Amino acid sequence: MTARRAALAAAVVLGIAFAVVIAVRTPWVPLPDPVGGRTPVDPTAGLSEAQLNRAESFAAALRPASLISLLLGLTVSAVLGLTRAGARLVRAVARPLGGGWVWQVLLGVLALAVIGRLATLPLAAYGEVVRHRYGLSTRSWGLWLRDVAVSTAIDAGLTALGLLALVWLARRAPRTWWAWAGAGAAAFVVVGSFLWPVLIEPAFNRFQPLAEGRLRSDLLQLAEENGTPVQDVLVSDASRRTTALNAYVSGFGTTRRVVVYDTVLERLPDEQIESIVAHELGHVANDDVLTGTLMGALGAGAGVAALGWLLSSPTLLRRAGAEGPGDPRVVPLALFLITVGTLLSAPVQNGVSRHVEARADVHALDLTDDPEAFVAMQQDLAASNLSDPDPPGVWHWFFGSHPTVAQRLALAADWAELNRP
C-alpha cells in the first residue's frame, strides 16, 4: 500500500470511529414523550412583541454580515491556498531572516492569519457596531481592538506551532508523517482541554471568587449534590465587554470551577442562577467535556490523515506551488484545507451539541426540580442576549449549537408533565 493510500485508509477508519462515538454517546432522546404527546413549540417562547421584534431586528442586521464574513474568509484562504500567491508570500516574509524553512512556516502562518483577519475586519467592526447599537456590547473600541489582536495572536501562534511540527515531520518521515502528526494533533486536543481554563480564559477576562453568602453556598452544595464538587465559584468581569448573561463550568479535577458572569449576578434572581449552573453541572455529570475531547481527538486524527492524503495530490501541490508536505510553501494550501474541513464538520458538531445541550437542560430540571425558574431563566437570557427564539431552520441546522429558546421551553413543559405528582 502506498503512503497516500495508507493515509486515506487511516482517515476512513478514524472517521468511522468518530461516527461510532457520536452514535453511542449522543443523547438522541434526552426526554421520553409524555403520554399526551410532546408540547407544541411556541415560536414566540412567551416573549413580548417588543422583545421579539428587537431580537429579529438584531438577527437581521447581523446574519448577512456574518455570512459574508465567512464566505470572504474562505475566498481569501482559497486564493492564497490554491494559487502560487500564497507560496510567494511565504517565501517573501521569511527572506529578511534568511529564508529558512522554519521562518517560512512561522512568519508565513502569521502573515496569512493577519491577511485573513484584515480582510474580514470591516465586517467584524460592523458586527461590533450592531452589538453596541442594540446595547449588547459594552467594549470600548480600544478593548475591541485588543481582543482582536490577542485572539489573532493566539490563533496564529498555535497554528504556526502545529504546522511547524507537521512540516518538520514531513521532512523527517516523508511516508509516515501524517500518522505522527495525527497522533500529535489528538494529544494536543486532549491537553488543550485541560489547559484552556488556566491559560486561555485569563487572556480575556479577570476572575475573582464569589463573595461568601447564600448563593455561593447554594452553588457549592448544588455541585456536591450533583456528585461533581468544584474547587471554587468565580465571577468573570464580562460586563467589560457585554451585557449578555451566561455561566459555565470549566476545568477538570483541581481546576474545575463554576464561573458566573457579573451581569448574571446583577440581573437574575438566585433561583435562576442556580438553574443556569445546574445546566452546566449537567455537562460535568454526563462527562460531556470528556466525550467532546474524545470526539475532538478522533476528528483531529482523521482530519490530519485526510490532510496527508490531500497534501500528496500532485494536482493540488502544483496549483499551490509546493513540492510536497515538507515544503514550507505548502502552508497556505494546508490552511485552506483545514478551513474547508472545519466548515464542513460544523453541522455535525452543532447537531450533536444541540442534543447534548438538551440533555443538560433535563439534568438542570432534575437537579433543581424548579421548571418555573428554568422557564423564567431561559426567557430572561433570550431577552438579554437578543436570541431569536425561532431562527430560520437552515441557519439553525448549520450554525445552532443549542436548541432554540422555543424548543427549550417546550422541553421544560414536557418535563413538568412527566414529573407531575
Side-chain angles (χ1 to χ4, degrees):
M1 181 182 292
T2 65
R4 188 163 189 246
R5 288 184 177 178
L8 178 60
V12 170
V13 171
L14 289 172
I16 292 173
F18 177 73
V20 169
V21 172
I22 288 178
V24 172
R25 292 292 297 169
T26 301
W28 301 109
V29 184
L31 192 68
D33 289 352
V35 174
R38 292 198 175 277
T39 302
V41 175
D42 175 8
T44 71
L47 300 179
S48 69
E49 184 177 356
Q51 290 171 326
L52 287 172
N53 290 338
R54 186 171 172 79
E56 290 171 358
S57 176
F58 174 72
L62 206 56
R63 279 191 191 123
S66 299
L67 187 57
I68 293 171
S69 179
L70 175 65
L71 295 176
L72 179 59
L74 185 62
T75 300
V76 171
S77 183
V79 168
L80 293 171
L82 295 178
T83 71
R84 294 175 180 266
R88 288 195 292 267
L89 175 67
V90 166
R91 283 204 161 176
V93 295
R95 193 170 295 125
L97 295 177
W101 72 268
V102 172
W103 288 118
Q104 288 187 53
V105 174
L106 294 178
L107 296 180
V109 170
L110 178 60
L112 292 164
V114 170
I115 290 172
R117 184 55 61 96
L118 289 177
T120 58
L121 193 63
L123 290 164
Y126 166 77
E128 186 68 4
V129 168
V130 171
R131 294 183 183 90
H132 272 280
R133 184 188 306 158
Y134 283 84
L136 195 60
S137 176
T138 60
R139 283 187 293 192
S140 67
W141 284 105
L143 181 57
W144 178 78
L145 285 172
R146 181 261 183 196
D147 286 348
V148 170
V150 170
S151 176
T152 302
I154 291 175
D155 290 345
L158 294 176
T159 303
L161 291 177
L163 287 180
L164 184 66
L166 184 151
V167 173
W168 177 78
L169 286 168
R171 295 169 75 90
R172 293 293 300 271
R175 293 181 58 83
T176 59
W177 67 266
W178 53 268
W180 296 105
F188 179 79
V189 169
V190 175
V191 173
S193 295
F194 286 86
L195 295 182
W196 185 273
V198 294
L199 293 181
I200 305 301
E201 288 178 8
F204 295 95
N205 290 102
R206 293 191 293 266
F207 304 88
Q208 61 181 9
L210 177 63
E212 295 291 341
R214 179 176 177 180
L215 178 59
R216 178 183 174 85
S217 299
D218 287 348
L219 294 179
L220 290 172
Q221 179 61 33
L222 198 66
E224 291 285 348
E225 293 174 3
N226 193 56
T228 55
V230 298
Q231 297 301 311
D232 205 352
V233 180
L234 303 180
V235 180
S236 167
D237 62 341
S239 59
R240 294 173 61 218
R241 292 174 169 82
T242 182
T243 59
L245 308 178
N246 198 14
Y248 58 92
V249 177
S250 69
F252 298 90
T254 57
T255 67
R256 184 187 297 149
R257 65 268 186 92
V258 171
V259 178
V260 182
Y261 280 17
D262 55 0
T263 52
V264 167
L265 296 177
E266 294 169 3
R267 294 161 59 184
L268 294 186
D270 288 1
E271 61 270 17
Q272 292 188 33
I273 297 174
E274 291 176 21
S275 188
I276 296 175
V277 172
H279 168 95
E280 300 302 328
L281 290 171
H283 289 308
V284 181
N286 289 298
D287 292 327
D288 290 337
V289 175
L290 291 175
T291 299
T293 300
L294 175 60
M295 290 182 183
L298 288 172
V304 172
L307 195 64
W309 176 63
L310 291 168
L311 291 183
S312 299
S313 165
T315 301
L316 286 177
L317 290 171
R318 186 167 52 253
R319 289 186 63 88
E323 296 180 357
D327 183 348
R329 292 175 297 175
V330 83
V331 164
L333 174 60
L335 288 176
F336 169 69
L337 294 174
I338 291 170
T339 299
V340 171
T342 301
L343 183 63
L344 293 177
S345 67
V348 175
Q349 294 175 349
N350 287 329
V352 172
S353 176
R354 289 192 293 271
H355 286 87
V356 170
E357 295 295 337
R359 178 173 62 185
D361 284 345
V362 173
H363 188 92
L365 291 163
D366 290 338
L367 189 59
T368 62
D369 193 25
D370 193 348
E372 291 80 11
F374 179 88
V375 169
M377 175 267 292
Q378 291 292 344
Q379 291 174 328
D380 283 346
L381 260 62
S384 297
N385 299 347
L386 298 180
S387 302
D388 186 349
D390 188 36
V394 173
W395 184 273
H396 187 63
W397 171 78
F398 200 97
F399 297 105
S401 60
H402 290 61
T404 67
V405 178
Q407 291 169 341
R408 299 176 98 162
L409 297 195
L411 181 71
D414 288 344
W415 183 93
E417 180 65 26
L418 289 167
N419 289 273
R420 180 184 298 176

